[in-house]
Amino acid sequence: MNDRLPGDLMTVGGDHLHVVAEGTGKPPLLLSAGLGGAWFDWIPVVALLRDAYRAIAFDRPGLGGSPPVRRAATLRAEADRLAELARWAGAPVVLVAHSFAGFHAEAFARLHPELVGGMVLVDPSAEPRPPKYSRPLTRLEPLARLAGTVAGATGVARLAGPAAYGLAMRLLTTRGNVAPPEYVQAVCTRGHVLGTLLAEDSVYRQMAADLLTLRCHREFPDIPLRVITALGDMRGGRDAWRRAHADLAALSPRGRQVVLPDVGHLVQIDRPEAVAEAVRDL
């Protein structure tokens, strides 16, 4: 474990995961970042909730402070990982998931309903129809991880990683980078982090397709559900995105959509109070 990072490494389902827990209240919150994200994406939200809840942010294998694994990610594996974390945290938990992690969260709720007490989906990924080329794109996953290995071995990640992350935060958010520089330096200089980001992108469509299949076989539980829809950085397709999220909110009779017309995709950074309010509203 890098001594510049907070938290601990714990073994979950045979993998080592970097976990950062703050607070002692109940119910416990599990915070799952979007595609390629890290625990520090949740720093502004945790600051608002740690006095009332035990807020637990974690990194999937190969991201943040978690070591990489060789096998490809699958929807079932991600749902089962959340189940193991929920048992460790003291289920039932409230799951807060951003973007791509929304796929994992919904699968977790359908496969392990006894472990989830509520859910907040933060501008979640939504694919109402099976995406094209889902299976062929998964074949790029080994190449994606190889690219990360090369970036690490050649020093590209060390030289360009933190600067690229800072640029992305300036372009995608109004607040910019909220993580301490030493965290960004420790994480974004690791080649496998880039490789895992690319690998997650390569399996995105297959996970979307697998979730659509799972919906035909497992019901969504009757739990409090909030779906936050961010429209601020969308140039087109706003109505379709709003409708897709309304359909997600309708998965539960206790679901509700929260629309933020002037906030971008990284809601947890630009409008953390909206996420905190959704959690408290559950």
Side-chain angles (χ1 to χ4, degrees):
M1 182 67 184
N2 192 304
D3 59 10
R4 287 179 291 177
L5 301 183
D8 300 289
L9 277 180
M10 60 177 289
T11 302
V12 176
D15 297 329
H16 297 300
L17 295 187
H18 175 230
V19 178
V20 180
E22 298 187 42
T24 58
K26 292 184 178 181
L29 311 178
L30 279 184
L31 307 170
S32 186
L35 192 150
W39 95 96
F40 52 57
D41 295 342
W42 297 108
I43 285 177
V45 173
V46 171
L48 296 174
L49 293 172
R50 61 190 172 200
D51 289 342
Y53 304 91
R54 186 181 184 213
I56 303 164
F58 72 97
D59 295 321
R60 292 187 294 276
L63 298 174
S66 294
V69 295
R70 292 184 180 274
R71 64 185 179 279
T74 66
L75 185 68
R76 182 62 186 251
E78 296 299 343
D80 290 346
R81 191 191 324 282
L82 289 171
E84 291 293 331
L85 283 165
R87 294 187 184 100
W88 167 79
V93 300
V94 170
L95 181 58
V96 184
H98 175 243
S99 193
F100 174 59
F103 290 160
H104 313 156
E106 183 183 337
F108 163 63
R110 291 179 183 275
L111 292 168
H112 304 279
E114 74 284 359
L115 300 178
V116 57
M119 185 178 296
V120 176
L121 300 179
V122 183
D123 209 34
S125 297
E127 299 290 344
R129 291 173 295 278
K132 295 181 180 179
Y133 314 118
S134 56
R135 184 65 66 182
L137 285 173
T138 62
R139 297 171 187 163
L140 299 176
E141 190 270 343
L143 293 176
R145 296 189 185 277
L146 178 61
T149 300
V150 171
T154 59
V156 171
R158 179 175 55 83
L159 294 173
Y165 176 81
L167 176 61
M169 289 299 100
R170 289 193 296 274
L171 292 175
L172 297 175
T173 73
T174 58
R175 294 184 64 184
N177 186 13
V178 296
E182 61 269 25
Y183 296 175
V184 175
Q185 183 70 21
V187 168
C188 296
T189 54
R190 301 175 179 183
H192 65 252
V193 170
L194 172 63
T196 303
L197 183 157
L198 296 174
E200 287 196 335
D201 191 48
S202 72
V203 300
Y204 172 95
R205 290 175 177 237
Q206 187 58 51
M207 284 203 185
D210 290 344
L211 181 58
L212 291 174
T213 300
L214 181 62
R215 287 175 179 172
C216 299
H217 301 282
R218 296 291 186 97
E219 293 184 355
F220 192 86
D222 181 358
I223 57 171
L225 170 66
R226 298 294 177 268
V227 179
I228 298 176
T229 302
L231 301 175
D233 53 5
M234 299 195 71
R235 298 295 178 264
R238 291 166 66 101
D239 290 341
W241 191 241
R242 186 196 297 257
R243 287 195 300 271
H245 282 182
D247 290 342
L248 288 177
L251 290 175
S252 170
R254 291 187 279 169
R256 185 164 64 85
Q257 183 181 24
V258 179
V259 179
L260 304 177
D262 300 319
V263 182
H265 183 56
L266 293 175
V267 181
Q268 68 272 40
I269 292 176
D270 282 338
R271 194 71 66 82
E273 63 274 13
V275 180
E277 181 179 354
V279 169
R280 297 188 189 105
D281 190 43
L282 294 180

